[in-house]
Amino acid sequence: MEERWLVGVDIGGTTIKMAFISLQGDIIYSWEIDTDIINKGKHIPASIARSIDQKLEELNQTKNQLVGIGIGAPGPVNSEDGSVEVAVNLGWERFLLQTILERETSLPVVVDNDANIAAIGEMWKGAGKSAKNLICVTLGTGVGGGIIVNGEVVNGVNGAGGEIGHITSVPKDGSPCNCGKSGCLETVASATGVVRLAIEELAFTNETSILRDYYDGQPLSAKRVFDAANEGDELANRVIGEVAYHLGLALANLANGLNPEKIVIGGGVSKAGDTLLKPLKEEFIQFAFPRVAHGVKIVIATLGNNAGVIGGAWLAKEKLINKLVLQ
Ligand SMILES: [Zn+2]
């Protein structure tokens, strides 16, 4: 039989990443389209369907070539019907993504949360390769998470499993979080959190810092803070130390409950590499149960923006091919 393709889709607030992927997890063709958020995101499934058709035509292929679609959405997903509870960025509320996309494409569809499919992607082809027990944390504008136990994503009872970003890190007087709580890990370990901590530190002291000169002229970014830390700036190093402390504490406590083989750190902030990883490992070891610390490797994600589409393809392969065989 000629090799068929999986379709991986990763919906973001501004772009939708899409790819045709082989059954072995190799990207055959990838592209992206703008996210059409007008009318509360109601046209998104139709625009995905249209784009798949166009791409097949360009590549001289037919829909028979495709096994099905695995798609990640930026919000909690009900695994029973593949609906998205809420996705603020897109305007979705109780959105029947699986049903609508199946109707629009005539293909079977599997839906999961975007952070979960990124974790699956890293498990299948990235930094988590071969690990069946892993924690994946994405440090971007927010903090996303995916937890895989025995090769299966932890979705939980109502789709909120793996919400690592909302672990309480500052129990008293923490900064407000988008989720309605305050003091979440996201408020200190996201790119936004790093910048906020730096600005607070600059306001708190008069000491000289490279960041003070930057900050006077232009907006601060997480990258600037890490660059300054690399150049030996003490204030910036304190800020990174605080980020590493909170992240190390949260990940160690999670790991104490899960005993994972790998912890994969992804997202824009992870580009800091060793500047983040070194202090993070030091903090982690302090708080992890010794046998847990001994069993785990903390690594930087390797798939970048492709993690989501590859994880989506894996889901399609696991959930749809098995289903086809059974029928
Ligand atoms: Zn939160």
Side-chain angles (χ1 to χ4, degrees), residues 47-65:
S47 63
I48 292 170
R50 205 164 43 239
S51 182
I52 290 173
D53 285 344
Q54 280 168 1
K55 205 49 72 175
L56 283 171
E57 206 179 306
E58 264 178 57
L59 298 170
N60 248 328
Q61 299 287 345
T62 66
K63 218 168 234 175
N64 291 332
Q65 179 71 19

Side-chain angles (χ1 to χ4, degrees), residues 208-230:
T208 35
S209 163
I210 306 172
L211 292 178
R212 205 177 295 281
D213 309 332
Y214 278 140
Y215 188 45
D216 278 346
Q218 50 204 314
L220 211 49
S221 66
K223 186 181 182 300
R224 285 246 152 86
V225 181
F226 280 102
D227 286 349
N230 267 334

Side-chain angles (χ1 to χ4, degrees), residues 52-120:
I52 290 173
D53 285 344
Q54 280 168 1
K55 205 49 72 175
L56 283 171
E57 206 179 306
E58 264 178 57
L59 298 170
N60 248 328
Q61 299 287 345
T62 66
K63 218 168 234 175
N64 291 332
Q65 179 71 19
L66 307 178
V67 175
I69 303 171
I71 183 166
V77 171
N78 298 307
S79 44
E80 262 165 42
D81 62 357
S83 66
V84 180
E85 197 58 38
V86 61
V88 183
N89 289 345
L90 311 178
W92 288 356
E93 242 173 276
R94 295 203 145 272
F95 191 81
L96 298 172
L97 179 58
Q98 183 187 330
T99 312
I100 300 171
L101 192 57
E102 283 183 341
R103 194 180 60 212
E104 294 285 348
T105 59
S106 313
L107 288 167
V109 173
V110 193
V111 183
D112 206 328
N113 170 267
D114 57 354
N116 287 345
I117 63 163
I120 295 171

Side-chain angles (χ1 to χ4, degrees), residues 163 165-168 175-187:
E163 285 293 347
H166 304 286
I167 289 176
T168 302
S175 281
C177 179
N178 290 329
C179 74
K181 297 202 297 138
S182 57
C184 293
L185 181 62
E186 179 163 303
T187 68

Side-chain angles (χ1 to χ4, degrees), residues 104-148:
E104 294 285 348
T105 59
S106 313
L107 288 167
V109 173
V110 193
V111 183
D112 206 328
N113 170 267
D114 57 354
N116 287 345
I117 63 163
I120 295 171
E122 288 290 341
M123 170 185 76
W124 193 19
K125 301 299 281 187
K129 216 169 175 178
S130 83
K132 286 202 150 39
N133 291 283
L134 77 149
I135 297 171
C136 200
V137 59
T138 311
L139 310 174
T141 321
V143 172
I147 295 173
I148 294 172

Side-chain angles (χ1 to χ4, degrees), residues 289-301:
F289 182 63
R291 197 166 167 82
V292 166
H294 186 72
V296 74
K297 279 202 175 69
I298 304 180
V299 293
I300 300 285

